[in-house]
Amino acid sequence: MFLLEHQAKSLLGQNGVSIPEGRVAATADEAGNSAKSLSGTDLVVKAQIGAGGRGLAGGVKFAARPEEVRRHAGTMLGARLSTAQTGIRGEIVKQVSIEERVDIAGMFYIAVLVDQNTARPILLGSASGGNDFERVATENPDVVKSITLGDLDWEDPKEIGGFLETLGLTGDAGISASRQVIGAIRTFFGNDALLVEINPLAITPEDKAVAIDAKIVIDGNALARHVELEALVTETSIEDSERLAQENNVNYVELDGDIGLVVNGAGLGLATLDLVIDSGGSPANFMDIRTTAGSFQIARVIQMLIENPRVKVILVNIHGGGMTVCDTIAEAMNFAYSRTGSDKPIIYRAAGQNAPWALSIMTNRRLPFTRFDTMTEAVRQAVSVAAGR
């Protein structure tokens, strides 16, 4: 689960990390009024989206007066912000944060994450923090230093300070930065996070370290241990379609295409995406129906696909087995089409447990489907239908 910037900073602040004073607003008027309650006169308005790169896409604006804050917020709110990470489709801005501007003498990158190669938590640091960090790190990976947290006493400021010295952080700035890094690590372990990132960790002219921007990813499988975080799920900047799918035990990512995919299993879902694209088609979504999803839950997500005006055809590619059998998904198709009264064409391929029974459901309920025995045939036909052939 990706947290928005203001949510991430709230968790970091609870663990001793210095953050700028700020407010969150959902309307332009609220933003303007919030600006009046801040003590500083130099302010920053930030679009709250899950992706990075906002500053390069117009999602960060400076303001000297509440009227400017209100104007910038009015421009951002409700707009779809496209960054290098969101792609062309972008993300809708539903909230903005208003913060006091911080004077910056230096910028560093700090992150705590799980190393995918070793499955161990590591600390990353770089003296090249800021908006351009990803480009710089890609072109020159040596600018990023790392250390496995198990190899040091991370609660000891001296040990953290030794790592920060390799980044050029020494003296009072290094002492202040050590406190922020310890707070970031404490946030990581205390919330079952997969990533805690501060970029930039700014050093002020007074040698104080402040977290200017932050990103946190929480392990969704650990939310049962963190009831206090569940309320944040409704605030996170994800599409309404993806939130509805999550609520109904379906992993779902909305895309820009016109072929709606109904697939169970992450591997099969990715393979179906690849086949559609390789065949010249454009998927409208990624779907992975969880084994815990029932037919009524699956039907709600399929109905959302049917009602998407961009979707011209529904491609069903399922393999029954384990806890999800073919007839469960066939019943979901029936429920969704019954609710909508749609005649949107279905290209249907199913194999595995209860596949014959699922086929009889599709046939007896008179769903508008064409059956194929192989994935390749089904995908080619779906691409053809979407193209109007």
Side-chain angles (χ1 to χ4, degrees):
M1 180 179 75
F2 288 82
L3 301 189
L4 298 175
E5 177 198 7
H6 74 273
Q7 298 169 332
K9 284 182 173 177
S10 176
L11 286 185
L12 288 167
Q14 294 170 25
N15 287 280
V17 177
S18 298
I19 58 175
E21 183 181 0
R23 303 286 186 273
V24 181
T27 68
D29 287 341
E30 188 180 353
N33 293 332
S34 295
K36 296 176 183 178
S37 67
L38 296 173
S39 56
T41 54
D42 288 336
L43 302 173
V44 186
V45 184
K46 296 181 174 183
Q48 295 298 286
I49 62 173
R54 297 169 302 172
L56 301 175
V60 177
K61 297 290 185 181
F62 297 100
R65 299 182 305 278
E67 292 75 16
E68 285 185 77
V69 170
R70 180 180 288 104
R71 176 165 52 82
H72 288 318
T75 300
M76 293 180 190
L77 288 165
R80 194 174 281 276
L81 193 65
S82 297
T83 75
Q85 292 187 12
T86 66
I88 297 175
R89 192 166 185 278
E91 287 186 34
I92 295 176
V93 180
K94 298 179 181 178
Q95 293 175 312
V96 295
S97 69
I98 304 93
E99 292 182 348
E100 294 184 350
R101 186 173 183 176
V102 176
D103 289 332
I104 298 176
M107 295 192 293
F108 294 80
Y109 175 90
I110 295 294
V112 190
L113 67 155
V114 177
D115 187 328
Q116 294 183 352
N117 295 320
T118 65
R120 300 178 68 188
I122 60 173
L123 172 64
L124 299 182
S126 174
S128 301
N131 286 338
D132 241 9
F133 171 75
E134 289 188 2
R135 181 188 61 80
V136 172
T138 299
E139 294 176 354
N140 182 14
D142 291 338
V143 303
V144 183
K145 310 295 184 182
S146 68
I147 188 169
T148 301
L149 288 178
D151 294 339
L152 79 166
D153 180 3
W154 58 265
E155 293 187 286
D156 184 348
K158 292 183 179 179
E159 292 210 28
I160 293 295
F163 173 76
L164 294 179
E165 284 181 5
T166 67
L167 310 180
L169 272 167
T170 59
D172 290 341
I175 293 172
S176 180
S178 294
R179 298 192 191 102
Q180 315 313 313
V181 173
I182 290 172
I185 299 172
R186 189 178 295 122
T187 303
F188 177 84
F189 286 117
N191 294 279
D192 286 304
L194 299 175
L195 170 70
V196 172
E197 179 184 88
I198 300 176
N199 183 36
L201 177 67
I203 304 300
T204 70
E206 297 77 30
D207 285 335
K208 302 296 183 183
V210 183
I212 300 297
D213 197 359
K215 178 186 295 183
I216 293 179
V217 181
I218 302 295
D219 185 350
N221 296 315
L223 282 179
R225 292 197 293 268
H226 299 280
V227 180
E228 73 280 4
L229 298 179
E230 290 184 0
L232 300 182
V233 175
T234 58
E235 293 184 44
T236 52
S237 183
I238 64 174
E239 297 289 341
D240 292 339
S241 58
E242 294 172 17
R243 179 174 290 111
L244 183 146
Q246 286 182 7
E247 293 170 352
N248 286 282
N249 285 318
V250 175
N251 298 322
Y252 184 96
V253 179
E254 187 164 332
L255 303 173
D256 292 327
D258 53 14
I259 300 175
L261 304 182
V262 176
V263 190
N264 64 321
L268 186 60
L270 292 172
T272 305
L273 276 177
D274 288 344
L275 279 173
V276 169
I277 293 171
D278 287 346
S279 299
S282 181
N285 64 291
F286 164 83
M287 182 183 292
D288 165 23
I289 298 170
R290 301 174 193 165
T291 57
T292 52
S295 56
F296 285 114
Q297 292 176 307
I298 300 168
R300 293 188 186 100
V301 182
I302 295 172
Q303 180 177 342
M304 178 176 64
L305 266 183
I306 295 170
E307 293 174 342
N308 183 339
R310 293 196 314 273
V311 173
K312 298 176 181 177
V313 59
I314 304 294
L315 171 60
V316 179
N317 185 20
I318 56 177
H319 187 89
M323 297 177 66
T324 304
V325 292
C326 293
D327 57 295
T328 297
I329 298 175
E331 285 286 7
M333 294 294 298
N334 174 57
F335 294 147
Y337 271 78
S338 295
R339 289 171 179 167
T340 60
S342 174
D343 60 355
K344 192 166 286 188
I346 303 168
I347 304 303
Y348 179 81
R349 178 263 174 187
Q353 190 173 359
N354 291 3
W357 179 238
L359 179 60
S360 69
I361 292 173
M362 298 288 292
T363 302
N364 294 337
R365 307 297 166 82
R366 297 182 180 180
L367 295 176
F369 78 103
T370 305
R371 175 198 173 197
F372 290 87
D373 291 325
T374 69
M375 291 171 53
T376 302
E377 291 174 324
V379 167
R380 286 175 179 170
Q381 181 63 18
V383 171
S384 179
V385 172
R389 296 191 295 269

